[in-house]
């Protein structure tokens, strides 16, 4: 009976979207098609709750919503989300299902907190945070399960069984790219709320000291600036931050070592400086060697508030994405025999999911999405039809 139960669990695990995504083997013609950008948006489906919008995509068309979009989520996570979100959980399920398809996503009609007259819609943020948590826990559970199997049977030959190839070159799997400290604070605090684990007091104290405690940014009275400007820049507008988040069995630890972290939270500027080696002080008259190997195994990238990033330095974001999923410059604490084949074959960028979120679309975002997002699963993009202002003109004017 125990064996049958274990077999059933293994079958369930293998059918989940995470396992399906990471165990897929790319054929040469698939790689060539991705490199040559031959895929076109060929299907569409309605975007619920987003007026005059639809999702268009490449690859196979996404199936309709299932009865339980959280069927792939681990029990502890799912129970915690149902407890804190209750009725709002179903509302988050729409975008979560899209994220859980592991396709590249561009959503450029998000309602930000600083938009005047707009109700704050946190469902999109919650959905991608839930997806990131689910991915991190899935990755960790597979490694722990295989570790236990190897301990129980020391004679197992890892090279003969691909199910034991469950790791990347380094541990970090998720990267959040954000423009400002005030926005990073919102997202990290919400991430901790959505995690069933308890955070460590000392790291949370440091986080509050550096990023502040309150999310209630208020508009400056008697300001000559527009309302959206005042709300966006009411908090900490520092655009240089970079830290790791580590999930253990019982806790969430902030400011963990990059190579021991599961999630990296950064601004494009700070990460660009880290890659270039410019953020470290000189030692013996020479700058420290740049170290960006912790970006070699990133599997999910979320670029939130891309509209704000576009008002900073867009080239930093482009440079960071170009640096992802390269072969590491030196060996780190990893069992080479357990590294997934597509990492060794330098195909990791084809497995990486990139999610770009903004309140409006720009040509630069389109170029980044089309040129730097090469996920073999395909792409999904929100297409919105705008009525414009000409119909509002009362008198007919020859154009």
């Amino acid at each position: 009976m125990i064996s049958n139960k274990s077999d059933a669990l293994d079958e369930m695990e293998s059918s989940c979207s995470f396992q399906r995504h990471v165990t897929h083997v790319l054929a040469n013609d698939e790689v060539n098609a991705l490199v040559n950008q031959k895929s076109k948006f060929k299907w569409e489906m309605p975007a619920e709750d987003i007026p005059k919008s639809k999702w268009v995509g490449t690859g196979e068309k996404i199936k309709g919503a299932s009865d339980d979009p959280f069927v792939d989520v681990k029990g502890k996570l799912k129970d915690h989300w149902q407890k804190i979100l209750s009725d709002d959980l179903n509302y988050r399920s729409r975008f979560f299902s899209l994220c859980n398809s592991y396709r590249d996503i561009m959503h450029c009609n998000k309602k930000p907190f600083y938009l005047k007259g707009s109700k704050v819609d946190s469902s999109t943020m919650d959905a991608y945070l839930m997806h990131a948590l689910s991915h991190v826990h899935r990755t960790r559970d597979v490694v722990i399960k295989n570790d236990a199997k190897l301990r129980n049977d020391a004679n197992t030959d890892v090279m003969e069984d691909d199910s034991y190839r469950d790791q990347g070159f380094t541990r970090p799997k998720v990267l959040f790219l954000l423009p400002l400290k005030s926005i990073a604070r919102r997202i990290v605090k919400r991430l901790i709320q959505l995690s069933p684990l308890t955070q460590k007091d000392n790291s949370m104290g440091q986080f509050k000291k550096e990023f502040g405690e309150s999310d209630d940014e208020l508009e400056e009275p008697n300001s000559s600036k527009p309302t959206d400007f005042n709300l966006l820049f009411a908090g900490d507008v520092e655009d240089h931050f970079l830290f790791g988040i580590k999930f253990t069995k019982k806790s969430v630890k902030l400011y963990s070592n990059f190579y021991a972290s599961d999630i990296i939270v950064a601004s494009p500027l700070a990460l660009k400086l880290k890659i270039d080696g410019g953020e470290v002080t000189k030692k013996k008259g020479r700058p420290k060697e740049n170290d960006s190997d912790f970006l070699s195994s990133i599997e999910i990238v979320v670029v939130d508030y891309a509209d704000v990033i576009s008002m900073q330095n867009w080239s930093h974001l482009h440079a960071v994405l170009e640096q992802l999923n390269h072969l590491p410059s030196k060996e780190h604490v990893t069992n080479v025999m357990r590294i997934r084949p597509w990492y060794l074959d330098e195909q990791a960028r084809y497995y990486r999911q990139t999610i770009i979120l903004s309140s409006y679309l720009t040509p630069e975002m389109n170029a980044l999405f089309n040129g730097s997002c090469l996920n073999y699963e395909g792409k999904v993009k929100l297409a919105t039809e705008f009525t414009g202002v000409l119909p509002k003109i009362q008198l007919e004017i020859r154009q």
Side-chain angles (χ1 to χ4, degrees):
M1 181 181 296
I2 294 175
S3 178
N4 291 338
K5 184 177 180 182
S6 177
D7 292 342
L9 287 172
D10 288 341
E11 185 177 350
M12 226 162 107
E13 290 286 328
S14 63
S15 65
C16 80
S17 58
F18 168 79
Q19 282 292 347
R20 175 189 53 76
H21 178 69
V22 299
T23 57
H24 177 76
V25 179
L26 279 176
N28 290 333
D29 56 341
E30 288 181 278
V31 174
N32 292 333
L34 291 169
V35 172
N36 297 326
Q37 294 286 323
K38 292 182 178 180
S39 299
K40 296 181 179 180
F41 294 100
K42 58 185 181 181
W43 58 262
E44 61 183 53
M45 66 178 188
E48 299 181 27
D49 298 328
I50 306 178
K52 298 181 179 180
S53 300
K54 60 184 178 183
W55 293 105
V56 295
T58 65
E60 295 183 8
K61 185 173 182 179
I62 295 178
K63 298 178 181 179
S66 62
D67 295 334
D68 184 9
F70 300 101
V71 66
D72 292 344
V73 179
K74 290 291 184 180
K76 184 184 292 186
L77 274 176
K78 186 176 179 180
D79 293 343
H80 181 69
W81 295 345
Q82 288 176 335
K83 180 181 177 181
I84 65 172
L85 293 173
S86 60
D87 295 337
D88 292 332
L89 185 61
N90 290 331
Y91 188 53
R92 270 94 176 139
S93 67
R94 300 187 183 105
F95 193 69
F96 176 84
S97 298
L98 211 58
C99 295
N100 202 40
S101 69
Y102 280 93
R103 300 170 188 241
D104 291 329
I105 302 171
M106 184 159 71
H107 180 355
C108 289
N109 194 10
K110 198 182 74 161
K111 298 296 181 278
F113 67 91
Y114 56 82
L115 191 62
K116 183 178 180 180
S118 172
K119 182 181 178 182
V120 177
D121 183 8
S122 61
S123 61
T124 303
M125 179 182 72
D126 284 355
Y128 75 66
L129 290 176
M130 291 155 68
H131 174 56
L133 284 169
S134 177
H135 184 81
V136 167
H137 281 263
R138 279 279 180 192
T139 302
R140 181 172 173 270
D141 287 347
V142 170
V143 174
I144 291 175
K145 182 179 178 181
N146 286 337
D147 286 344
K149 286 182 179 180
L150 292 173
R151 280 196 302 269
N152 293 333
D153 187 1
N155 296 322
T156 301
D157 189 351
V158 177
M159 298 298 293
E160 292 184 358
D161 190 348
D162 283 347
S163 66
Y164 290 103
R165 305 180 78 170
D166 52 12
Q167 300 176 19
F169 294 114
T170 54
R171 178 167 174 169
K173 293 293 178 285
V174 180
L175 172 64
F176 292 143
L177 291 171
L178 308 167
L180 303 172
K181 270 190 172 182
S182 58
I183 292 174
R185 181 185 65 244
R186 287 173 174 267
I187 289 173
V188 171
K189 289 179 69 175
R190 188 57 174 168
L191 179 73
I192 292 173
Q193 290 173 357
L194 291 171
S195 171
L197 307 175
T198 57
Q199 72 276 11
K200 292 187 176 181
D201 293 336
N202 55 350
S203 61
M204 199 60 196
Q206 182 182 351
F207 179 75
K208 290 179 179 179
K209 182 179 179 181
E210 292 189 16
F211 287 78
E213 298 188 33
S214 176
D215 289 333
D216 301 325
E217 283 94 0
L218 301 176
E219 183 180 357
E220 184 180 346
N222 302 322
S223 173
S224 60
K225 301 289 185 181
T227 303
D228 59 344
F229 180 96
N230 292 325
L231 290 176
L232 175 61
F233 295 104
D236 191 337
V237 296
E238 174 66 40
D239 61 351
H240 187 284
F241 55 90
L242 171 63
F243 62 94
I245 302 177
K246 177 182 179 179
F247 292 85
T248 64
K249 188 175 181 180
K250 296 182 179 180
S251 64
V252 182
K253 182 180 179 181
L254 306 182
Y255 299 102
S256 54
N257 181 279
F258 292 137
Y259 290 96
S261 301
D262 297 293
I263 297 176
I264 303 295
V265 181
S267 64
L269 171 63
L271 204 49
K272 178 67 166 60
L273 290 174
K274 176 69 174 175
I275 292 170
D276 293 342
E279 97 170 330
V280 293
T281 57
K282 289 187 177 182
K283 186 178 181 180
K284 296 182 180 180
R286 293 178 299 175
K288 185 181 177 182
E289 180 184 1
N290 59 356
D291 181 14
S292 58
D293 286 352
F294 62 91
L295 300 175
S296 63
S297 303
I298 295 294
E299 295 174 359
I300 297 177
V301 179
V302 179
V303 182
D304 202 354
Y305 294 91
D307 50 323
V308 181
I309 295 177
S310 69
M311 294 183 282
Q312 296 174 330
N313 192 329
W314 189 256
S315 64
H316 290 338
L317 176 61
H318 190 273
V320 167
L321 292 182
E322 287 297 314
Q323 191 65 31
L324 300 179
N325 305 123
H326 289 186
L327 289 176
S329 59
K330 54 187 175 182
E331 185 179 351
H332 297 275
V333 186
T334 306
N335 185 345
V336 178
M337 292 187 295
R338 290 182 63 178
I339 296 178
R340 296 191 188 276
W342 40 271
Y343 277 114
L344 299 174
D345 294 337
E346 296 187 68
Q347 295 179 345
R349 59 176 177 157
Y350 304 126
Y351 289 79
R352 186 187 76 228
Q353 180 186 33
T354 306
I355 302 174
I356 301 175
L357 303 166
S358 175
S359 61
Y360 56 81
L361 182 62
T362 67
E364 290 79 11
M365 294 176 197
N366 254 333
L368 187 73
F369 188 63
N370 293 330
S372 299
C373 302
L374 304 173
N375 194 328
Y376 81 86
E377 296 273 9
K379 300 178 181 180
V380 181
K381 177 181 177 181
L382 186 69
T384 303
E385 179 183 346
F386 296 96
T387 56
V389 296
L390 288 180
K392 298 180 181 180
I393 297 177
Q394 295 181 356
L395 299 177
E396 293 185 4
I397 301 176
R398 179 176 296 177
Q399 299 295 318

